[in-house]
Every structure is written in structure tokens, then in C-alpha cells.
Amino acid sequence: TFLINPAVAGSKGIHSLNLFHRWQWVSFPGAPQTFGVTYQGMIKDVHGVGGLLFSDITRPSYRIGLKGSYAFHIPLGDDMKLSIGAAGRLVRNSINTRTITFIQDNDAAVNAASEAVWGGDAEFGLYFYSKNYYVGFSAPNLIQTKIDFGTNPTGRDPLGKGYRHYFLTGGYKF
């Protein structure tokens, strides 16, 4: 839940470090892979902090990035808390054009393009939790940063952008 909601940072009351790897379609050449490491913990019972360092490879494109999160936990009594969190993210999007076969190798849009661009974005989250249940809401890509490799000389339409998502999560421990 920490990966999609910055308000979760510190909610377990302990410091934790996690490594993860995801490999899809293993038998296909250039299959997508994601690697990452996260940290989260609580400082002085009300301040949650967290971080994420990741790499996402989906040949011929790949991205690396980092995210820092802060959450403020408000006690509501009877072991219930409401956490309000925010995060900032910095990402480097890259395209390896040497692995793509183009119909026209001399296309100005390809030759003038940058192979990597940096971008940032922000996230917001709410997390209501107790010992046995939780409900969360989060919205990443609040700024919806454009991904533009400089291939369009008019500047009208970027290649893409980080689209805003809305997540509603919940759980109960039986």
C-alpha cells in the first residue's frame, strides 16, 4: 500500500526496508522488469517518512526514479489514526532508439530527439487505520507532468504524460 499511497508511511509503527522485483512474460525477449527498494518508518509517533528507488525496463523504453514521502499521523482514540501524506517524485524516462527499426532512418523527429528526459510529479494520500482495518485514498501524478523527448518542433503535443489516477483501498484483518 505504501507504493500507491504516501500516507501509509510509518503506519506500521516500525522501520522497514523492502526489496522487490517483478518480471512479466519471462519467455519473451525484452520482457518488462521492475526493480525497487523502499524504506518507511515512524519518527516521534506522528511523523511517517518513506522513500522509493526504482527502475522500470520495458524495452526499448526504461525509467529510473526516486520518491520521498511524508505523512502526519493524527491519533483519533481507541487505536485509530488518520494519516495525511504527500510525496514528490523525480523520474528519468529514456528511449533506446538503437533497438527500434524505423521505416525512415532519416526522420527529423527521430534524429532530433533526446534519448532521455527528466520529470517530476506529486502525490497525495489519506489513510484511516486501526489494528484490524484500514481505508485509504490516494492520487498520484497530481501535476500530470508531460513526457516530451523534443520530437515535435511545434511543441503542440508531447509524447505522453503521467496521467492522474485515483486509488481507493481497504482491508480488514479477521
Side-chain angles (χ1 to χ4, degrees):
T1 53
F2 170 69
L3 291 175
I4 62 171
N5 190 341
V8 173
S11 62
K12 300 257 188 245
I14 60 171
H15 296 271
S16 67
L17 185 66
N18 295 290
L19 300 171
F20 63 91
H21 173 247
R22 179 180 179 193
W23 192 358
Q24 302 176 73
W25 310 320
V26 176
S27 297
F28 289 92
Q33 293 187 59
T34 303
F35 304 89
V37 59
T38 65
Y39 161 79
Q40 63 169 315
M42 183 74 85
I43 301 171
K44 297 191 180 191
D45 295 329
V46 293
H47 304 285
V49 294
L52 164 67
L53 181 62
F54 69 92
S55 169
D56 199 14
I57 304 167
T58 56
R59 306 256 196 268
S61 68
Y62 56 97
R63 59 191 196 123
I64 59 170
L66 56 95
K67 175 173 86 168
S69 301
Y70 172 78
F72 186 75
H73 299 262
I74 303 164
L76 299 176
D78 293 338
D79 289 331
M80 294 184 299
K81 290 184 180 181
L82 175 65
S83 177
I84 302 168
R89 184 176 61 247
L90 184 62
V91 178
R92 182 178 189 259
N93 290 289
S94 304
I95 294 179
N96 185 350
T97 56
R98 293 179 298 279
T99 62
I100 304 172
T101 303
F102 294 100
I103 294 172
Q104 292 180 324
D105 289 336
N106 62 351
D107 188 337
V110 174
N111 294 330
S114 171
E115 287 197 1
V117 293
W118 286 91
D121 220 316
E123 302 177 15
F124 171 77
L126 295 170
Y127 191 66
F128 176 75
Y129 65 100
S130 75
K131 181 180 176 183
N132 292 322
Y133 58 89
Y134 68 90
V135 175
F137 171 80
S138 61
N141 298 323
L142 292 175
I143 300 169
Q144 300 187 78
T145 303
K146 294 177 180 169
I147 301 170
D148 190 352
F149 289 92
T151 58
N152 186 344
T154 63
R156 288 182 308 214
D157 297 319
L159 181 65
K161 67 179 182 177
Y163 286 92
R164 189 175 304 130
H165 294 71
Y166 300 98
F167 293 101
L168 181 61
T169 57
Y172 184 83
K173 183 196 277 184
F174 291 96

